[in-house]
Amino acid sequence: AAFNNLLDVSESKEAEKKKLSVEIEKSKKEWEATFDAIQDLIAIFDSECRALKVNRAMAEKLNARPQDLIGKRCSEIYYNRTPLPHTCMVTKTVRSGGAEQAEVDDMVFEGSFKITTFPFKLKTSGGEVSGCVNIARDITREKFLRDQLFHSEKLSTIGKLVAGIAHELNNPRMGIMGFSQ
């Protein structure tokens, strides 16, 4: 009887383990699908600036597969350079321990990008920054529109200035014309 009870408990534990394994696999697939569905360029880097995970949008932008980018340093991915001449935002985030943000125009990708990095800490790292999540959003169109708005505001200001000057010049001219008639 004890052996049968032990066998039943073992079988129920095994069934529970399989159920948990299926749930974990399902959650993993959902997370990966969500990660790859995001259109911003996302990469997760360790504290040594090596890519741990790259979303599909990032890989497609680089004409590569996500698994081909794993292990590459951030400066290799974003700037096609070795780490020495260029310090990437991942390094700054790991050093500071806080989120960093910048607008960048000199990356491998064409256009302007807003780069935001967020540090993360694992319980096993003893409170030190373990790496960071790096999000690059294409702001080329927004920057173009912002520059256009700034240019139109300058033209509007110049127009107001010219109208004011014309008004100031017109007042004495009208007086002179009145006296001369």
Side-chain angles (χ1 to χ4, degrees):
F3 182 74
N4 286 339
N5 283 341
L6 183 62
L7 191 59
D8 289 342
V9 168
S10 177
E11 286 175 357
S12 71
K13 293 258 186 206
E14 192 64 35
E16 188 177 323
K17 195 186 276 187
K18 284 182 182 180
K19 182 181 173 186
L20 286 174
S21 179
V22 167
E23 285 184 37
I24 289 171
E25 188 63 30
K26 179 183 172 190
S27 293
K28 180 183 176 219
K29 287 181 181 181
E30 286 174 353
W31 184 85
E32 286 175 348
T34 303
F35 186 69
D36 284 336
I38 298 171
Q39 294 304 305
D40 290 340
L41 311 178
I42 302 176
I44 300 173
F45 293 95
D46 65 9
S47 60
E48 300 294 316
C49 301
R50 285 190 213 93
L52 301 173
K53 183 85 175 146
V54 176
N55 76 341
R56 186 174 291 132
M58 169 78 83
E60 287 174 359
K61 192 77 167 174
L62 292 167
N63 295 322
R65 297 177 310 160
Q67 56 267 31
D68 296 339
L69 300 173
I70 304 299
K72 287 190 175 185
R73 295 190 176 271
C74 63
S75 55
E76 292 174 285
I77 293 173
Y78 291 118
Y79 301 98
N80 203 18
R81 299 184 203 150
T82 56
L84 294 174
H86 193 298
T87 303
C88 65
M89 298 227 358
V90 173
T91 307
K92 293 175 186 174
T93 300
V94 169
R95 285 185 188 152
S96 72
E100 298 283 336
Q101 192 170 11
E103 284 188 18
V104 181
D105 293 328
D106 63 343
M107 293 194 310
V108 173
F109 321 118
E110 283 191 28
S112 299
F113 286 82
K114 181 178 182 180
I115 307 273
T116 309
T117 55
F118 302 97
F120 65 84
K121 300 174 184 179
L122 299 175
K123 290 182 181 180
T124 58
S125 67
E128 295 178 13
V129 174
S130 303
C132 73
V133 178
N134 194 331
I135 302 170
R137 173 171 283 165
D138 188 355
I139 59 165
T140 307
R141 176 104 174 113
E142 295 164 16
K143 193 171 181 181
F144 173 75
L145 292 174
R146 184 176 48 200
D147 290 346
Q148 235 181 358
L149 178 64
F150 182 68
H151 183 68
S152 66
E153 285 178 352
K154 284 195 303 188
L155 289 176
S156 173
T157 303
I158 289 172
K160 288 178 184 176
L161 178 67
V162 168
I165 291 172
H167 183 71
E168 289 298 320
L169 291 175
N170 203 22
N171 284 342
R173 187 179 72 90
M174 293 304 282
I176 292 170
M177 287 185 64
F179 282 120
S180 65
Q181 285 180 354

